[in-house]
């Protein structure tokens, strides 16, 4: 890469790091506040997780459409700045004694809405930053994401000793850093068509049509529905309740389990970064997704806490391959003029099914227990992967080079 390209990559990854450090802290602070400080039920906790994810169902393709038509540097800077406001809401609610489940729902809806514009903007910029080395750049971006999510989770474990307020302030500082570095990114290389509000509906429809026409992106997007339903829902809801009900742990337990998961993703993406000649992208994706089923099913059994951590690490390793391969396939085969929107449709697949999975998991846990939920999710996952293998060519997707 040229010196200017390396500088742009550094600016991009700094912004990526700032956002996912905040995200990692959120993964620990959100259940800490809801489960430990407010004592909500599993079904209400599932609903709270939905508040974080559901806005993307309605906004992420719109976010991709706007990313295709605007200067994404400016868009990223704006959303980083706006993301500080829901943090201020939590700070004031704790300080003045009105923290409640309803306040956390408001926080989730606002932060979830903002995230719907961050993800497609970053994804659309990635191809420009990559200078033709898309798989390598995607993996570097994933390593940065996982690395700083891990850092955020580890720092989040300090909530038991220092409280949540200093950690929320750290989130705000990180977002301001991301805002600054977004403005230092390069301007778009191609002249973008102006955003016409009257044509937004048609622009969004085009994205779904293009994804449906793609023999590569369509089956990958469908596979993300299973990821959201069976894996994401359990990761968000089941793991925190396993940590509290089976092991009696608090914020440090949430942080440890989350860290093990994302350490696994970091490890598997490090392996991918070293293996630059991987060609069978679809095969790698399907093997990784299939490995998640027995790992999820193993949570049915009681085990020492260190055993749980090993299982979660392995689960994270498979998830890292799924995320990296899914994004690489979508980035590679998306049309240049529609890339932001097509990436948004891909993201929408698991952002839609994830909240549904969280609600289902929360209600099954509350009414029938943890084991019933794990068993149900495993059976659904097996059925989904079987149908996907029979009805699509997902196993045959390969690098075009």
């Amino acid at each position: 890469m040229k010196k200017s390209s390396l500088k742009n990559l550094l600016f991009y990854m700094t912004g990526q790091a700032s956002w996912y450090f905040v995200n990692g802290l959120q993964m620990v602070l959100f259940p800490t506040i809801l489960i430990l400080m407010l004592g909500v039920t599993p079904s209400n906790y599932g609903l709270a997780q939905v508040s974080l994810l559901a806005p993307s169902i309605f906004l992420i393709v719109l976010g991709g459409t706007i990313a295709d038509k605007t200067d994404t540097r400016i868009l990223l800077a704006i959303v980083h700045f706006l993301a500080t406001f829901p943090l201020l809401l939590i700070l004031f609610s704790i300080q003045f004694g009105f923290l409640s489940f309803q306040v956390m729902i408001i926080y989730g809806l606002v932060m979830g809405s903002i995230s719907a514009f961050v993800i497609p903007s970053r994804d659309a910029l990635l191809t420009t930053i990559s200078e033709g080395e898309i798989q390598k750049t995607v993996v570097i971006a994933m390593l940065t994401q996982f690395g700083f999510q891990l850092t955020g989770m580890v720092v989040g474990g300090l909530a038991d000793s220092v409280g949540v307020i200093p950690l929320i302030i750290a989130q705000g500082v990180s977002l301001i850093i991301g805002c600054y570095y977004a403005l230092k990114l390069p301007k778009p290389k191609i002249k973008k068509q102006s955003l016409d509000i009257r044509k937004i509906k048609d622009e969004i429809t085009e994205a779904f049509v293009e994804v449906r026409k793609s023999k590569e992106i369509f089956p990958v997007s469908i596979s993300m529905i299973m990821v959201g339903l069976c894996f994401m829902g359990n990761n968000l809801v089941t793991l925190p309740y396993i940590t509290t009900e089976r092991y009696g742990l608090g914020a440090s337990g949430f942080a440890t389990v989350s860290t093990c998961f994302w350490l696994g993703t970091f490890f598997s993406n490090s392996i991918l970064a070293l293996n630059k000649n991987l060609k069978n992208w679809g095969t790698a994706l399907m093997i990784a997704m299939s490995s998640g089923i027995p790992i999820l099913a193993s949570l049915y059994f009681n085990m020492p806490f260190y055993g749980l951590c090993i299982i979660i690490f392995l689960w994270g390793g498979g998830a890292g391959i799924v995320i990296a391969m899914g994004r690489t396939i979508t980035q590679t085969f998306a049309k240049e003029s529609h890339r932001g929107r097509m990436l948004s449709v891909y993201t929408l697949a698991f952002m839609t099914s994830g909240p549904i999975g969280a609600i289902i998991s929360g209600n099954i846990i509350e009414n029938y227990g943890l084991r019933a939920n794990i068993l149900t999710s495993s059976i659904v996952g097996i059925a989904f992967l079987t149908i996907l293998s029979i009805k699509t060519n997902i196993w045959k997707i390969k690098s075009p080079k």
Side-chain angles (χ1 to χ4, degrees), residues 275-295:
N275 186 7
K276 299 177 183 179
N277 296 317
L278 180 64
K279 302 296 183 184
N280 297 318
W281 293 348
T283 300
L285 176 68
M286 285 298 289
I287 290 174
M289 282 196 294
S290 300
S291 72
I293 300 299
I295 290 172

Side-chain angles (χ1 to χ4, degrees), residues 40-57:
V40 301
T41 63
S43 58
N44 278 344
Y45 179 67
L47 186 61
Q49 286 287 0
V50 169
S51 73
L52 274 172
L53 300 170
S56 292
I57 298 172

Side-chain angles (χ1 to χ4, degrees), residues 8 51 58 110 141 152 167 172 177 206 213 231 240 270 281:
N8 291 334
S51 73
F58 305 100
V110 175
L167 304 181
I177 292 171
E206 278 182 23
K213 284 161 57 177
F231 296 152
S270 298
W281 293 348

Side-chain angles (χ1 to χ4, degrees), residues 324-383:
M325 288 296 97
R327 283 184 64 182
T328 298
I329 290 168
T330 309
Q331 286 273 3
T332 301
F333 293 100
K335 289 176 66 174
E336 176 69 32
S337 59
H338 292 65
R339 181 169 282 114
R341 283 168 283 172
M342 293 179 76
L343 285 162
S344 297
V345 173
Y346 159 79
T347 304
L348 179 67
F350 64 86
M351 285 295 189
T352 302
S353 55
I356 296 171
I359 291 175
I360 293 171
S361 292
N363 280 280
I364 293 176
I365 291 169
E366 188 167 330
N367 292 291
Y368 303 103
L370 284 165
R371 285 189 169 89
N373 176 61
I374 292 165
L375 188 62
T376 302
S377 298
S378 300
I379 293 170
V380 170
I382 291 170

